[in-house]
Each structure stands twice: as structure tokens, then as C-alpha cells.
């Protein structure tokens, strides 16, 4: 047995020599733990006090409060130190050795220091003990000093130590350690005892100037130039009265603070003297830089922007930058030509006040900007007004430019009727008393609209506005709300008359040419003529693109050698060159020559249009061929639908027979076995025989109804119908791709044929799956889409024909797209002019359709049939 010592041996024990450094580190960690737990309150108080001094709080607070804080800080620090000293206990060597031994498994240090209690005289027992000692020594040499436990959250639950540390870090970053030295100035007589009285001063210019703060102690005596409104702050340290202030720059009056006050603050308002009298004092002769008011002026005449907006340049400047301003626009009655609707006094209307536009980037001390605003709908549009610009700076000073007289530039109307509507709109906004006069003028204009209005829509809109205006007048005076409502309607009408809602590129080009010619005759401004010229260029480009697109759609792409001579002589480059020449003549002021060149351009474009119209007549034959092909496709689709219906009828009959003989086992149980009309089974010869019995209505070379069964088991009837449906769909795609016409009607025809193709594809899939009912529905949709496509194609052909063309010609397409012997949808009528009221021929396609409709009607009214079958037949009858 081994016995432990009562206490750990002293540090000089040779057995502990390998543990010397781990023991030292362990003991140091324990000392750190004790110090932290004992002195954290004192350290927190010290860090807070030091942070306050480094941040200069003692310079901002009254002296009494600073001294009170200092006393409280010293007391708190003393109490914290006393509390910490009582809590502190120096860790012993034995405690450190126990801490280290506790970190090792099996406590090898304690075992190493044990002595053998019994069996020391026994050699075997002694040898075993020595081996145990060596093993413990080896384990003890692996000892490492444990980390100290520095967590004191339980002692400081409010984390006051972290708050003090944060304050110290902020003071180190934003404060200055040298401020601690200024505490000496707070001790009575200390400053005088050491260096005598001292002072500090700062000069802070107004923030809007962007100038830096100056340290007054660094400014040499003599001349000192400061911006007006600068803030000066002075602080005197030392014995009160040792330093005094003498200044005449603040222009302060009334009760003033004593010149010996330790802290002085004032603004620089005028030139004068600034002096600090006393030991180490200094004096300056201050020169004030006044803040000049901003200046603003108009920099050019107003012009018209590309979108019809006013564009008026102006220039502004200020020594420190313009921060705002206004633009006031007032009506100049003295410069106004008071005629017509402007003779009477206007209704009271406030001036237009806008914010002064400022540059978004760059400096604002000296800049040139533009006032851009759209006044096209304002009652003062294009009337003489005065522009008054006002600019403001950050000091609150304002600068106003001299009133600038010019028109309120806005959009003008060059269509005569649009210009007259816009003028009457201006008159009714000028004064509500003008309403009877405006109504009288509108009634006179609309009395005989022929030759005045281009379309009936504009005439009707004007008459509607006139009725509204007269109804308000009949009810009494025109109210302000009705005045604004009628003005808005007149503006929309003027825009429609000027620009038009024209979808045709040729009409837009003609309209642009007329407006440009009118502008040149009226002496419009250069900006307006340039805008109208740009509109003419764009309209001409649109017209040329339309011609090219129409030629591509009609398949009229010709080689250069095949093009007519007129087309070869007039290319797009030639048109652009002519328009460039017109614009050059206008810029040179040669308006007569420019107008003559514009008339020549109009004549050349008209010749091009006539040439294109003659070439377009060649598409008539192609249209008739396309119409005949679609009519044939429609007849073939009708035949396929008839045969599918007969097969469906046979399927119903066979189901009914099997239901009677087999106890109604499955309504569709006979699908795939195929039955003839006489009820006999068979899939080959039987079906063919049945087809011969029913073959009166089939086309030559096509399979007749009744050949085979439903097709669910691969019988030839359904497969043959699906193949024929696929071939018909391929033919329709070829016809759709070969349609000769473009435009809206051509696109409608192609869209309708696309829908017919998709319906045919669905019918083909249903036939392959043996679903005859769904296939008939899809075929009905395909036929309806085919008829719609033929109607659109007929409309396109009618538009391409000239008046009186093809009238009375036999065998050619009529305006509705039909040919002799065909109904308006391209189907064979089966009757001539002498028997239009007779029953259709049974052998014709029309006769077969008649029989089909009669059979559907008869079966749908048969009460012995099931409700499901009769509902389906009724829906089928509705489709036909």
C-alpha cells in the first residue's frame, strides 16, 4: 500500500523538476483569475474616466460638474480597489500543483510524490514500487498548464466592464490622449504656476461654403480674411481675468458677455478687429468676404423641342452655388394682338410657376441649363408671355433676372382644320364668355362638311362636342368643369385631325407632305420645319418598307432586269437624296424652291404607287386559283366527314344488335369486328360488299363508307380514313404557304387555314384511335375554319380588284371570291340559274350534304334511341 504525504513537497523537490514550467504557467493563470475577479470594478471605473477625458467632455461641461465628476470617480476607484484587495488571495505552490495534477488522468503527480508504506524490505515489492514510480514520472512529464478561467459573467451580470472598454476604444479612435494634459488648466493656479494663462480658438466657416475649420492659434497676427457668417469659438485657460477679448467683427449690441469669460462664441458679420489681450495674446485685422447674391439670366431665345416642348436656355451663377429657384411665366397683355376671341377680357388665371431646373451632376456655382416644359395644352400656348427667373443660394439670398418677353413656345397645328379647332379651344379657355361664339363657328364649319372633313368620324366628333357645348349654354353659363372637359375633347380632336389615326403608310406619307408644305407657306420656325421633315422621312421609310413587304408576300420578287423602268429610276437612295435637297433648300431660306422640290417628290411617289398598283393586278389569277384549290379541299373534307359519320352509324346499329343478342354486354364491344349494312360479319369481302351497296355518294378512286369496321383492331376502313385525312392536311399546308396576298385579310386567311390544319391533325389522330365521334367533331371544326379562310381570301381579292373589274365575266372570281357554279364559300351549288329553288341533286356533293343533314335530324328525333346518342346527334346537327 502507498501512503500520500500530508501536503505537497516544496518547490525544490527534485521529482518536480520536469514540471517546473507547467507549474509556473498554471500559477500565473491562477493569479490572473484572482486579479480579474478582484480588480474588474476598479478597471472599469478607470477606463470610463479616461475615456471621458480623452473625448474632451471636461471642456464641454461646466467646471463645477467636471469637479464633481472627478471626485466621484476618485471615490469609486478607491472603493473598487479596497473591494478588490479584500477579494484577492495569492495562489500557493501546492494549489498550483493540485490544479496541474487534476488535469492529468490518474493524478500522476500525487502518485509520484507518494512513498512506499509497507513492503519496503521486500525486494520484489520494492521493484514493483519503483516500476510504478517510473510509470507515473513518465505520465507526469506529459503535463501541460491548463487555461485560466477568466469568465466573470456571474460577477458582472450587466456587462459593465464591456461598456467601459467600448467607451475607451471610442475615445482612442475619435479622441486624443493629449487632452489629459488640459486637466492641469482646471486646477486653480496650476496654469499660472506652470506656463501662465493660455487660450485656444477655432474659426468655422458656414457649412454651405465647403471651407475647412481653421485653428485660430495657427493664424499669424495681422490680416485675416474670413467668409461672412463664420463662427469663432475662444477658450481661456488660467486665472480668470488674465486674458480678455476685444472684438468689433460680430456687430453685437445689447447685453454682452464679459470680455473675461473663459468661453466666447460669436459670428463674423462685418470687418473689424479681433484681439486677445493678456500674456500670449494676439490681434488680427479681419476682412470679411461677403456672400454675393446669385445671378440668373436668359441665355437665348426659346425654341421648340423635338416632342413639342418649350426649350429655353438660361445661365446662373453664385459664389458658393445655387440651391434653388423659380421660373414665373406671366401673360403679356400689352404685346398681345387682341383680335377675334381674344378681344374680351380673359378669365382670371394664375401665373405659371415652375421650379428652376438645376444640373444633376457637376458644380452649381456657374452653369447653363434649359427649361424644358410642354405647354401645348395651356391656354397661353404660342401667346406672348414674360419669363422671370429667380435663383436662391444657401444663405437665403435671391437673385432675379429682368423679365424676358417671348412667346410661350408650344406645338403648332399646320392642318387648316386642326389649327382652327385648336384656335377655338384656346378661345374657350381664354374666357368662358367666348362659348356662344365658338358654338356658332363650329355650327358654321359643320354645316356643309363635304370638302372639309377627311372622314366622317372627325365630323361626328365635332358635332358631339358642339351638342355638349350648346347643352351647357342652354342650361345657363358654361361652368369651369365643363370648360375643361370641352377643351380636352377639342384637343383630342385637333390631334386626330393633325396626325390622323391612319393605318396606311401611304396616307401617313401624304399627310406629312401636306403638313410640311403648309408649314413652309406659313413661315414656320426652323425647329418646326426640321421636325416635320423628320416625320416625312419616317413616313416615307414606312411606305417603302410596306411596298417591299407586300411584294415579298405576293411573291413578286423580281430581278433588277425585270423591274419596270419607273421603279429602276426611283430607288430609296434617290428619295433620300431628294429629301436631303429639300431640307438644304429650306435651311438656306429658299422656300419657293423647296416647295417645288416637295411637289416633285409627291408626283414621283404617286407614280410609284400607280406602278405598284398595276403590278398588283397580276395577283388576281393567283387568288382565283387559290380559291378554287381551297374549295376542292373543302369538298374532300366534307366527303371524309360523311364517310366517318356512316361508319359511326354502322357502329351504333351493330351495338344495338349485339345488345339484344348478348344481353347488352358492352356498348362498344363490337368494335373491330366490322359489320356490313345487312348485319353480316366480315372484315374483308363483307366490308367491300357493303361499300358497293353504299357507294353512290363517293368520289371515284376513294374508299366508300362501310369498308371495314371502326379501326380499333387495324381494319382497313379507319386506317384508310386516317391516311386520306393526313394527305388532305398536307395539301392544305401547301395551299396555305402559296397564298398570294398579304395585308390584314391575307393574315386572317392564313390564320384560319392554320386552325383548319390543327383540326385536321386532331381528326387524323382520333381516326387512328378509333374515336369516330371525336374525329367528326374535329372535321367539323376544320371545315368551319376552311370556310372562314375562304371568306378572308375573297375579301383580299375584292380589295385588289379595281372598280368595275371582272364584272359579268364568266368563270372568274366575283368580289366575294366565288366562281360560277360555286356558293359564296366555294362549294358546288349543284343548280343553275333556272333551278335555284329546287331540291339539290342527290348525286352531287351538295345533295349528299343535304341527305346527311336529313338523316341527322331524323335520328335525333327518334325517341327509341338512347339519350346519349340523341344528345350527340343534336350537337352534330348544330355544327352543320
Amino acid at each position: 500500500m502507498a501512503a500520500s504525504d500530508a501536503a505537497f513537497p516544496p518547490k525544490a523537490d527534485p521529482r518536480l523538476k520536469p514540471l517546473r514550467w507547467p507549474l509556473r504557467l498554471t500559477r500565473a493563470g491562477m493569479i490572473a483569475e484572482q486579479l480579474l475577479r478582484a480588480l474588474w470594478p476598479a478597471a472599469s471605473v478607470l477606463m470610463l474616466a479616461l475615456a471621458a477625458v480623452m473625448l474632451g467632455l471636461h471642456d464641454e461641461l461646466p467646471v463645477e460638474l467636471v469637479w464633481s465628476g472627478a471626485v466621484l470617480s476618485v471615490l469609486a476607484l478607491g472603493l473598487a480597489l479596497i473591494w478588490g484587495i479584500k477579494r484577492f488571495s495569492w495562489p500557493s505552490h501546492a494549489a498550483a500543483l493540485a490544479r496541474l495534477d487534476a488535469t492529468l488522468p490518474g493524478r500522476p503527480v500525487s502518485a509520484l510524490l507518494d512513498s512506499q508504506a509497507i513492503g519496503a524490505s521486500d525486494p520484489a515489492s520494492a521493484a514493483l514500487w519503483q516500476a510504478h514510480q517510473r510509470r507515473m514520472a513518465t505520465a507526469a512529464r506529459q503535463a501541460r498548464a491548463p487555461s485560466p478561467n477568466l469568465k466573470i459573467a456571474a460577477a458582472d451580470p450587466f456587462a459593465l466592464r464591456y461598456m467601459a472598454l467600448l467607451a475607451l476604444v471610442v475615445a482612442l479612435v475619435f479622441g486624443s490622449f493629449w487632452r489629459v494634459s488640459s486637466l492641469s488648466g482646471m486646477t486653480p493656479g496650476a496654469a499660472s504656476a506652470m506656463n501662465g494663462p493660455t487660450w485656444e480658438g477655432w474659426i468655422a466657416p458656414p457649412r454651405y461654403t465647403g471651407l475647412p475649420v481653421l485653428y485660430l492659434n495657427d493664424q499669424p497676427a495681422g490680416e485675416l480674411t474670413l467668409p461672412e457668417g463664420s463662427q469663432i469659438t475662444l477658450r481661456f485657460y488660467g486665472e480668470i481675468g488674465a486674458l480678455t477679448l476685444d472684438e468689433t467683427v460680430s456687430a453685437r449690441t445689447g447685453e454682452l458677455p464679459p470680455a473675461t469669460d473663459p468661453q466666447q462664441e460669436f459670428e463674423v458679420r462685418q470687418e473689424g478687429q479681433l484681439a486677445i489681450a493678456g500674456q500670449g495674446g494676439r490681434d488680427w485685422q479681419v476682412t470679411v468676404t461677403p456672400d454675393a447674391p446669385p445671378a440668373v439670366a436668359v441665355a437665348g431665345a426659346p425654341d421648340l423641342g423635338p416632342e413639342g416642348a418649350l426649350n429655353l436656355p438660361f445661365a446662373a451663377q453664385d459664389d458658393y452655388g445655387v440651391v434653388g429657384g423659380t421660373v414665373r411665366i406671366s401673360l403679356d397683355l400689352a404685346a398681345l394682338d387682341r383680335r377675334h376671341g381674344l378681344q374680351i377680357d380673359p378669365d382670371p388665371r394664375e401665373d405659371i410657376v415652375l421650379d428652376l431646373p438645376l444640373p444633376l451632376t457637376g458644380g452649381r456655382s456657374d452653369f447653363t441649363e434649359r427649361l424644358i416644359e410642354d405647354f401645348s395644352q395651356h391656354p397661353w400656348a404660342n401667346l406672348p408671355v414674360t419669363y422671370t427667373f429667380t435663383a436662391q443660394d444657401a444663405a437665403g439670398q435671391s437673385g432675379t433676372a429682368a423679365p424676358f418677353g417671348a412667346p410661350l413656345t408650344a406645338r403648332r397645328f399646320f392642318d387648316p382644320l386642326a389649327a382652327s379647332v385648336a384656335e377655338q379651344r384656346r378661345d374657350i379657355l381664354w374666357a368662358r364668355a367666348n362659348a356662344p361664339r365658338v358654338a356658332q363657328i363650329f355650327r358654321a364649319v359643320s354645316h356643309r362638311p363635304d370638302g372639309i372633313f377627311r372622314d366622317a368620324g372627325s365630323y361626328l366628333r365635332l358635332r358631339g362636342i358642339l351638342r355638349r357645348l350648346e347643352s351647357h349654354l342652354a342650361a345657363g353659363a358654361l361652368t369651369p368643369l365643363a370648360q375643361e372637359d370641352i377643351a380636352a375633347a377639342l384637343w383630342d380632336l385637333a390631334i386626330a385631325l393633325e396626325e390622323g389615326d391612319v393605318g396606311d403608310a401611304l396616307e401617313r406619307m401624304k399627310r406629312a407632305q401636306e403638313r410640311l408644305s403648309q408649314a413652309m407657306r406659313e413661315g414656320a420656325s426652323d425647329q418646326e420645319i426640321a421636325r416635320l421633315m423628320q416625320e416625312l422621312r419616317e413616313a416615307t421609310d414606312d411606305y417603302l418598307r410596306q411596298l417591299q413587304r407586300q411584294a415579298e408576300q405576293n411573291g413578286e420578287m423580281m430581278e433588277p432586269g425585270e423591274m419596270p423602268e419607273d421603279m429602276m429610276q426611283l430607288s430609296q437612295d434617290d428619295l433620300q437624296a431628294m429629301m436631303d435637297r429639300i431640307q438644304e433648300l429650306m435651311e438656306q431660306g429658299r422656300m419657293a424652291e423647296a416647295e417645288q422640290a416637295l411637289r416633285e417628290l409627291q408626283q414621283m411617289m404617286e407614280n410609284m404607287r400607280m406602278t405598284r398598283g398595276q403590278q398588283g393586278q397580276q395577283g388576281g389569277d393567283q387568288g382565283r386559283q387559290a380559291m378554287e384549290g381551297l374549295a376542292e379541299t373543302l369538298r374532300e373534307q366534307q366527303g371524309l366527314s360523311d364517310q366517318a359519320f356512316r361508319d359511326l352509324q354502322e357502329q351504333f346499329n351493330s351495338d344495338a344488335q349485339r345488345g339484344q343478342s348478348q344481353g347488352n354486354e358492352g356498348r362498344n364491344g363490337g368494335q373491330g369486328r366490322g359489320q356490313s349494312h345487312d348485319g353480316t360479319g366480315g372484315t374483308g369481302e363483307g366490308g367491300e360488299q357493303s361499300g358497293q351497296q353504299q357507294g353512290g355518294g363517293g368520289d371515284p378512286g376513294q374508299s366508300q363508307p362501310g369498308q371495314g369496321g371502326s379501326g380499333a383492331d387495324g381494319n382497313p376502313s379507319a386506317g384508310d380514313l386516317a391516311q386520306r385525312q393526313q394527305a388532305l392536311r398536307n395539301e392544305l399546308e401547301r395551299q396555305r404557304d402559296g397564298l398570294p396576298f398579304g395585308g390584314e385579310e391575307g393574315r386572317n386567311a392564313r390564320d384560319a387555314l392554320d386552325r383548319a390544319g390543327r383540326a385536321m391533325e386532331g381528326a387524323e389522330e382520333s381516326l387512328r384511335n378509333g374515336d369516330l365521334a371525336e374525329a367528326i367533331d374535329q372535321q367539323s371544326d376544320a371545315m368551319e375554319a376552311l370556310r372562314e379562310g375562304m371568306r378572308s381570301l375573297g375579301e383580299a381579292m375584292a380589295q385588289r380588284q379595281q372598280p368595275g373589274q371582272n364584272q359579268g365575266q364568266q368563270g372568274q372570281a366575283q368580289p366575294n371570291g366565288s366562281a360560277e357554279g360555286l356558293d359564296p364559300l366555294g362549294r358546288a351549288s349543284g343548280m343553275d340559274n333556272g333551278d335555284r329553288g329546287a331540291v339539290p341533286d342527290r348525286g352531287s356533293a351538295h345533295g349528299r350534304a343535304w341527305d346527311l343533314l336529313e338523316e341527322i335530324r331524323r335520328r335525333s328525333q327518334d325517341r327509341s334511341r338512347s339519350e346519349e346518342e340523341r344528345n350527340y346527334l343534336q350537337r352534330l346537327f348544330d355544327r352543320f
Side-chain angles (χ1 to χ4, degrees), residues 681-752:
T683 60
E685 291 87 2
E688 185 178 354
Q689 181 181 1
S690 175
Q692 293 172 359
Q693 295 174 1
Q694 300 284 340
D699 293 335
Q702 295 181 353
S703 301
Q704 302 303 323
Q707 291 180 353
S710 65
D713 57 354
N715 288 329
S717 177
D720 180 59
L721 288 177
Q723 292 177 2
R724 289 169 57 189
Q725 186 68 72
Q726 181 182 5
L728 192 60
R729 178 169 59 88
N730 295 337
E731 175 64 20
L732 178 64
E733 292 179 356
R734 185 191 65 78
Q735 292 173 346
R736 180 201 60 194
D737 296 338
L739 288 182
F741 299 116
E744 186 68 23
E745 288 74 15
R747 286 192 297 272
N748 292 340
R750 288 181 175 83
D751 293 342

Side-chain angles (χ1 to χ4, degrees), residues 137 243 415 482 627 859:
L243 295 173
D415 181 86
M627 182 68 75
R859 295 193 179 195

Side-chain angles (χ1 to χ4, degrees), residues 252 303 558 561 758:
R252 292 179 292 179
D303 57 10
M558 296 175 291
R758 290 192 294 270

Side-chain angles (χ1 to χ4, degrees), residues 560-723:
E562 301 176 356
M563 296 179 64
E565 182 178 357
D566 292 342
M567 292 292 293
M568 293 176 59
Q569 293 177 355
L570 186 60
S571 64
Q572 185 172 1
D573 294 338
D574 296 334
L575 292 176
Q576 294 296 337
M578 292 186 66
M579 285 189 286
D580 292 341
R581 177 59 178 167
I582 293 173
Q583 187 168 3
E584 182 181 355
L585 291 173
M586 290 187 297
E587 292 174 354
Q588 295 175 359
R590 300 156 64 180
M591 291 300 175
E593 299 179 26
E595 190 171 357
Q596 177 63 28
L598 181 60
R599 285 195 295 269
E600 294 177 1
L601 176 62
Q602 293 173 349
Q603 185 63 37
M604 295 178 70
M605 296 300 296
E606 183 66 23
N607 294 339
M608 175 187 290
R609 186 182 68 84
M610 295 301 297
T611 302
R612 295 292 301 170
Q614 295 173 4
Q615 295 175 1
Q617 296 177 5
Q618 299 175 3
D621 295 337
Q622 299 177 359
R624 286 189 293 272
Q625 294 175 3
M627 182 68 75
E628 293 172 0
L630 291 177
E632 180 65 25
T633 301
L634 181 59
R635 287 194 293 271
E636 294 182 3
Q637 182 62 70
Q638 182 68 59
L640 283 175
S641 182
D642 292 346
Q643 185 167 347
F645 180 76
R646 290 189 178 93
D647 287 350
L648 182 62
Q649 179 183 3
E650 292 175 5
Q651 185 179 16
F652 278 127
N653 293 336
S654 62
D655 288 344
Q657 293 174 5
R658 283 193 299 274
Q660 294 174 2
S661 61
Q662 301 177 9
N664 246 351
E665 292 182 2
R667 184 167 184 82
N668 297 326
Q671 282 188 0
R673 289 194 291 270
Q675 296 186 7
S676 63
H677 289 285
D678 56 3
T680 60
T683 60
E685 291 87 2
E688 185 178 354
Q689 181 181 1
S690 175
Q692 293 172 359
Q693 295 174 1
Q694 300 284 340
D699 293 335
Q702 295 181 353
S703 301
Q704 302 303 323
Q707 291 180 353
S710 65
D713 57 354
N715 288 329
S717 177
D720 180 59
L721 288 177
Q723 292 177 2

Side-chain angles (χ1 to χ4, degrees), residues 260-586:
T260 59
D261 197 341
Q263 182 166 335
Q264 302 274 351
E265 291 186 3
F266 53 90
E267 287 187 3
V268 176
R269 292 298 179 187
Q270 63 184 13
E271 296 183 352
Q273 184 179 6
L274 173 62
I276 299 175
Q279 183 179 357
R282 201 177 305 173
D283 63 278
W284 299 267
Q285 186 65 35
V286 177
T287 302
V288 176
T289 302
D291 187 354
V296 61
V298 177
D303 57 10
L304 193 65
E307 301 297 331
L310 167 71
N311 193 328
L312 180 59
F314 68 94
Q317 58 183 2
D318 184 69
D319 42 10
Y320 298 115
V322 176
V323 298
T326 58
V327 182
R328 180 176 293 274
I329 303 176
S330 306
L331 182 64
D332 190 358
L333 289 174
L336 185 64
D337 186 7
R338 303 289 296 273
R339 294 188 301 171
H340 308 302
L342 305 179
Q343 289 181 351
I344 64 177
D345 294 333
D347 293 339
R349 189 175 295 273
E350 295 181 356
D351 293 345
I352 303 172
V353 179
L354 305 172
D355 292 333
L356 188 72
L358 301 175
L360 299 178
T361 59
R364 296 181 179 180
S365 58
D366 190 358
F367 63 91
T368 300
E369 264 293 335
R370 290 179 176 271
L371 174 65
I372 300 177
E373 196 74 23
D374 188 0
F375 295 105
S376 300
Q377 300 187 47
H378 197 274
W380 300 344
N382 294 308
L383 295 182
V385 296
T386 57
Y387 300 88
T388 304
F389 285 80
T390 301
Q392 295 178 349
D393 62 5
Q397 302 179 103
S398 299
T400 303
F404 175 75
L408 186 63
T409 307
R411 173 178 182 166
R412 295 176 58 191
F413 293 87
F414 296 100
D415 181 86
L417 185 57
S420 63
V421 171
E423 181 179 354
Q424 299 310 309
R425 173 185 176 274
R426 179 205 64 187
D427 292 347
I428 206 170
L429 286 175
W430 176 265
R432 291 189 295 275
N434 276 330
R437 176 180 177 275
V438 172
Q440 184 180 9
I441 292 176
F442 281 158
R443 181 164 291 280
V445 170
S446 60
H447 177 60
R448 292 184 178 180
D450 296 341
I452 298 178
F453 293 89
R454 292 189 180 89
D455 56 84
S458 301
Y459 166 74
L460 294 176
R461 290 176 65 178
L462 181 61
R463 294 293 296 182
I465 296 173
L466 177 60
R467 284 194 298 271
R468 289 160 56 188
L469 180 59
E470 290 180 339
S471 64
H472 287 295
L473 293 177
L478 187 67
T479 63
L481 183 61
Q483 177 190 30
E484 296 296 332
D485 183 40
I486 291 176
L490 289 175
W491 174 261
D492 295 338
L493 178 59
I495 292 294
L497 292 171
E498 178 76 6
E499 298 179 352
D501 188 12
V502 184
D504 184 69
L506 175 62
E507 188 65 26
R508 287 200 305 271
M509 185 182 67
K510 288 183 177 180
R511 183 72 59 84
Q513 291 172 349
E514 294 174 0
R515 293 168 61 190
L516 178 60
S517 178
Q518 183 72 17
M520 288 190 293
R521 287 194 296 270
E522 293 183 1
S525 64
D526 295 341
Q527 293 80 15
E528 291 172 329
I529 290 179
R531 178 174 59 86
L532 294 174
M533 190 66 198
Q534 182 62 29
E535 292 181 3
L536 176 59
R537 290 178 183 272
E538 295 174 357
T540 304
D541 291 342
D542 291 342
Y543 177 63
L544 294 177
R545 282 194 294 269
Q546 186 189 57
L547 290 180
Q548 183 179 3
R549 185 166 52 251
Q550 183 178 0
E552 293 175 353
Q553 293 175 352
N554 295 339
E556 299 175 5
M557 299 300 294
M558 296 175 291
E559 299 295 332
E562 301 176 356
M563 296 179 64
E565 182 178 357
D566 292 342
M567 292 292 293
M568 293 176 59
Q569 293 177 355
L570 186 60
S571 64
Q572 185 172 1
D573 294 338
D574 296 334
L575 292 176
Q576 294 296 337
M578 292 186 66
M579 285 189 286
D580 292 341
R581 177 59 178 167
I582 293 173
Q583 187 168 3
E584 182 181 355
L585 291 173
M586 290 187 297

